[in-house]
Amino acid sequence: MAESSGKGDQGIDLNTLSLQQLGSVKEGIENDLQSLGDSFQSLQGAATRFHVSGMAAEKLSQQEEGQPMLVPLTSSLYVAGELAGTDTVLIDIGTGYFVEKTPKEGSEFCKRKVSMLKHNIEQLQQVITEKRQQVSQVSRVLQAKMAAQQGGGSSDK
Amino acid sequence: MDALQAMRQKLETEAKVFQGLQKESSKSAGLRTQFQQQQQENNMVLKELELLEEEANVYKLVGPMLIKQDLVEAKSNVGKRLEYIGDEIKRLDNGMKSLEKKQAEKQQEVVALQQKMQQLQTKGQAQAQAAS
């Protein structure tokens, strides 16, 4: 959807645009880049979270039942507890649905999500590179035009 | 001069209508992205549910509680929701199409009005000059 405003790459010859139009095209692409960068970061954050969750599920399966532990209530308050069971974990699969899985299945789920996110990140990376090229293209034309205008303006005087 | 005044007023109201249309279409676009996100999430959930064995325990978060739910029921619920979201997206698309058409029409109207006003203005100036 973000591609719709990327009109600088094809169809329109950048040299035919006015300074103002070039400026707004550049601004548009830069805005797209900004939001794409934000998405990129949140995707990466999600991938890391899934990775950590998968590791936690795996670690849990190695623990024994009745193992004493400290349960975090807040980031600074922990309560003593005991591990009740390591056979099943509850996985949030989205939109309020939770599924009981074994730790192994749970970590597989996380791995699946991580690979999906990685795939998306790669695709996004491509789009971002393209947009970056577009921006540099537009700003090159913009600078050339500005230089031409300044040169023309000073020779008039 | 009265005609010009009336035209100016008309132009103003038309421009306002146009702006209203613009606002409406951006609202629809926002709603559409929201629905699209939901669609994607629900699709993901459905895929996960399809991967499960029949006797798997599925829970649904209702308020602060987890309620146990039948896998078949959960699947059909997610499927129904996907259907609803798909319909809603279609409805929004249609609405956006007609809004776009209306917008283009209004824009033409406004431009035509502006041109008319300009003509009238230059005519009036010419007349005033001729009179003086």
Side-chain angles (χ1 to χ4, degrees):
Chain A
M1 274 198 304
E3 283 94 316
S4 58
S5 52
K7 47 196 162 193
D9 55 340
Q10 47 185 271
I12 301 170
D13 183 6
L14 285 178
N15 289 309
T16 62
L17 295 180
S18 72
L19 270 180
Q20 216 175 10
Q21 282 171 317
L22 275 174
S24 64
V25 167
K26 189 173 170 227
E27 205 175 311
I29 304 177
E30 268 168 358
N31 277 343
D32 287 351
L33 253 179
Q34 182 74 45
S35 58
L36 287 175
D38 289 347
S39 315
F40 184 81
Q41 261 179 353
S42 49
L43 274 180
Q44 244 171 353
T48 325
R49 276 206 306 281
F50 271 119
H51 186 69
V52 171
S53 303
M55 294 227 296
E58 249 168 69
K59 281 253 171 67
L60 184 73
S61 62
Q62 291 161 10
Q63 302 293 329
E64 273 170 42
E65 217 177 293
Q67 163 96 17
M69 63 188 284
L70 289 169
V71 185
L73 286 189
T74 70
S75 58
S76 54
L77 176 63
Y78 291 72
V79 179
E82 236 173 50
L83 203 54
T86 59
D87 313 336
T88 56
V89 287
L90 211 52
I91 305 277
D92 180 0
I93 59 169
T95 66
Y97 281 100
F98 287 72
V99 179
E100 217 169 72
K101 287 174 183 284
T102 64
K104 195 163 159 270
E105 283 169 343
S107 87
E108 268 164 17
F109 167 86
C110 289
K111 273 183 195 145
R112 217 161 40 230
K113 292 282 160 207
V114 168
S115 72
M116 182 196 82
L117 285 167
K118 284 229 168 97
H119 181 68
N120 285 347
I121 286 173
E122 272 165 30
Q123 280 181 327
L124 192 60
Q125 184 73 60
Q126 271 179 355
V127 178
I128 288 178
T129 330
E130 259 171 52
K131 290 263 171 197
R132 285 231 174 94
Q133 278 168 354
Q134 283 174 16
V135 167
S136 66
Q137 216 179 343
V138 172
S139 43
R140 224 180 304 135
V141 178
L142 192 68
Q143 259 161 10
K145 280 225 164 180
M146 268 191 337
Q149 213 172 44
Q150 265 178 351
S154 58
S155 69
D156 277 350
K157 276 173 198 168
Chain B
M1 227 44 205
D2 272 353
L4 205 64
Q5 201 79 34
M7 259 181 144
R8 200 168 282 152
Q9 242 163 23
K10 189 160 183 230
L11 184 68
E12 222 168 272
T13 50
E14 293 292 328
K16 248 183 211 148
V17 172
F18 178 68
Q19 272 169 0
L21 284 174
Q22 262 180 330
K23 218 182 250 172
E24 220 174 306
S25 75
S26 80
K27 212 167 94 186
S28 305
L31 261 175
R32 208 199 116 96
T33 24
Q34 225 176 341
F35 272 119
Q36 227 167 6
Q37 274 170 357
Q38 280 182 13
Q39 193 180 34
Q40 218 152 15
E41 194 178 354
N42 277 291
N43 262 328
M44 238 164 51
V45 172
L46 194 62
K47 238 192 253 164
E48 275 309 317
L49 288 176
E50 299 289 355
L51 283 172
L52 291 174
E53 320 244 333
E54 241 173 84
E55 67 273 21
N57 289 325
V58 181
Y59 301 86
K60 171 101 185 81
L61 190 70
V62 182
M65 293 176 296
L66 284 175
I67 308 241
K68 194 163 173 177
Q69 210 174 34
D70 209 37
L71 180 58
V72 184
E73 206 182 317
K75 271 190 208 166
S76 88
N77 277 349
V78 176
K80 255 186 237 150
R81 198 147 56 178
L82 272 169
E83 231 172 83
Y84 165 75
I85 291 169
D87 285 349
E88 206 67 2
I89 286 180
K90 256 188 233 153
R91 194 181 61 87
L92 272 172
D93 274 347
N94 284 336
M96 270 158 83
K97 241 185 238 162
S98 75
L99 260 177
E100 247 167 63
K101 227 165 103 190
K102 266 195 222 159
Q103 248 181 42
E105 277 167 19
K106 266 281 165 262
Q107 198 170 19
Q108 273 180 344
E109 263 177 61
V110 169
V111 170
L113 229 92
Q114 272 171 336
Q115 277 171 348
K116 245 196 206 161
M117 242 171 87
Q118 242 163 15
Q119 275 172 1
L120 216 68
Q121 241 166 353
T122 47
K123 220 172 160 187
Q125 274 167 0
Q127 270 172 354
Q129 258 174 2
S132 68

